[in-house]
Amino acid sequence: MAKTPDSEAADALPRPALRPLLPSDTETLAAIFRASVEELTGEDYDTDQQEAWIGAADDEAAFGARLAAELTLVATMGGTPVGFIALKGDELIDMLYVHPGVAGKGVGTLLCEAAETIAKARGKETLTVDASDTAQRFFARRGYVPQRRNTVPLGNAWLGNTTMQKTLPELKAQSS
């Protein structure tokens, strides 16, 4: 099969890796959060909704404290953060954001798989997320099932999202 310019560019990207949140990540992760909302949600949310949503990262100290209070994993490519996931407790994906430049490159899948594995290893049978309209398709492809529709006030706007839940598969026994 012949390579296209897009497939050659994809081959040139380093493979994503995961690491825990570092205190120095806050500014970069806030920028990823803002870029993701601004560039990836325009088909589902209007400008006022996007601006209210982005405003959640205006206070970077509070944003960083929120990430630090949860189990936050950072996806990197070539050592540079490109996405993150934050688990609240062991059963709720609180945040999952990927930089628009790597959207569709497996970063979100890697982060979500890690969160699912952690939740299952901690004895949880389900994992829940309040998925934005934009992210709902991603989570549905991963086996998350809509539970209820929500309307959330944020700043001067209302944002719709859908609570979705996935029953986690049994962990495979490790062979020694």
Side-chain angles (χ1 to χ4, degrees):
M1 183 168 149
K3 290 195 174 204
T4 65
D6 285 342
S7 67
E8 287 176 12
D11 289 345
L13 286 175
R15 293 183 57 96
L18 295 178
R19 65 166 172 77
L21 174 73
L22 301 174
S24 59
D25 287 331
T26 299
E27 184 178 348
T28 301
L29 299 188
I32 290 169
F33 171 85
R34 290 183 198 104
S36 180
V37 172
E38 184 177 336
E39 296 181 39
L40 300 177
T41 66
E43 290 183 21
D44 300 302
Y45 297 93
D46 65 31
T47 303
D48 290 340
Q49 290 171 316
Q50 288 177 306
E51 287 174 5
W53 193 351
I54 289 168
D58 284 350
D59 181 344
E60 284 189 5
F63 186 78
R66 178 177 172 185
L67 293 174
E70 300 178 358
L71 173 60
T72 302
L73 298 175
V74 177
T76 62
M77 293 178 91
T80 301
V82 294
F84 65 96
I85 192 166
L87 277 177
K88 188 173 190 175
D90 293 331
E91 298 180 83
L92 177 68
I93 296 173
D94 184 34
M95 291 189 274
L96 172 59
Y97 292 89
V98 172
H99 190 280
V102 297
K105 305 289 188 222
V107 174
T109 297
L110 179 69
L111 288 163
C112 204
E113 285 174 353
E116 291 167 5
T117 299
I118 289 167
K120 189 63 186 175
R122 291 181 172 181
K124 303 305 174 186
E125 295 181 6
T126 61
L127 194 57
T128 303
V129 63
D130 289 333
S132 69
D133 293 350
T134 305
Q136 189 173 351
R137 294 174 288 277
F138 168 81
F139 285 107
R141 286 191 304 270
R142 295 202 48 76
Y144 288 74
V145 178
Q147 304 294 306
R148 71 180 170 275
R149 185 74 178 149
N150 309 300
T151 305
V152 181
L154 191 58
N156 293 326
W158 291 86
L159 279 72
N161 68 33
T162 301
T163 299
M164 301 178 78
Q165 189 172 67
K166 178 178 183 174
T167 300
L168 299 171
E170 292 296 319
L171 285 177
K172 295 176 184 151
Q174 295 289 328
S175 58
S176 25

